[in-house]
Amino acid sequence: MKVIVKILVVAASLWVATQVVDGITVDSSDTTKQIGTLLAVALIFGIINTLLKPIIKVVGCAFYVVTLGLFALVVNAGLLYLTSWIADQIDLPFHVAGFWAAFWGAIIIGIISWLLDLILGVND
């Protein structure tokens, strides 16, 4: 049950990012298709984070220490950009246009996800 709620939380965060950040788009005029796309992208983003983020943390441990954790913002942007690339490969209408859109989108997604997790108690 927690996994489903987490996917919904990330999908909602992605939707906020599409509304706030220029360069992050869901190219669908149909609301049902937009919701389906956001749910699929949230699932892809979750899988990427689960598989790659621990490896990146171990390999890039020195960068995390030297930058006092700010390197995590770059990593999160890269993972969001990778999610966009994968979505494009499977013909999902989700697109992140460049590093800065991914950077600000990752910050927005992180903040909104954290707030929704806090409110819903997903990580309890």
Side-chain angles (χ1 to χ4, degrees):
M1 187 65 164
K2 285 185 178 184
V3 173
I4 293 169
V5 173
K6 187 64 178 169
I7 290 170
L8 292 172
V9 164
V10 173
S13 302
L14 284 164
W15 177 79
V16 171
T18 63
Q19 301 301 307
V20 174
V21 179
D22 288 335
I24 299 179
T25 57
V26 176
D27 298 326
S28 179
S29 58
D30 184 18
T31 303
T32 306
K33 288 182 183 178
Q34 281 185 343
I35 292 170
T37 298
L38 289 171
L39 289 172
V41 171
L43 181 62
I44 294 167
F45 192 57
I47 291 169
I48 287 172
N49 274 319
T50 301
L51 296 176
L52 293 181
K53 200 167 191 176
I55 296 167
I56 294 169
K57 280 186 176 182
V58 170
V59 172
C61 182
F63 290 112
Y64 282 94
V65 172
V66 170
T67 63
L68 302 174
L70 293 176
F71 185 65
L73 297 173
V74 175
V75 169
N76 289 340
L79 294 175
L80 182 59
Y81 199 67
L82 177 61
T83 300
S84 172
W85 180 80
I86 291 172
D88 185 50
Q89 298 305 305
I90 58 174
D91 292 326
L92 287 173
F94 177 79
H95 183 68
V96 177
F99 173 78
W100 288 110
F103 180 82
W104 292 112
I107 290 173
I108 297 294
I109 291 166
I111 291 170
I112 300 298
S113 293
W114 173 74
L115 286 173
L116 290 175
D117 285 347
L118 192 65
I119 291 168
L120 299 173
V122 175
N123 291 329
D124 289 343

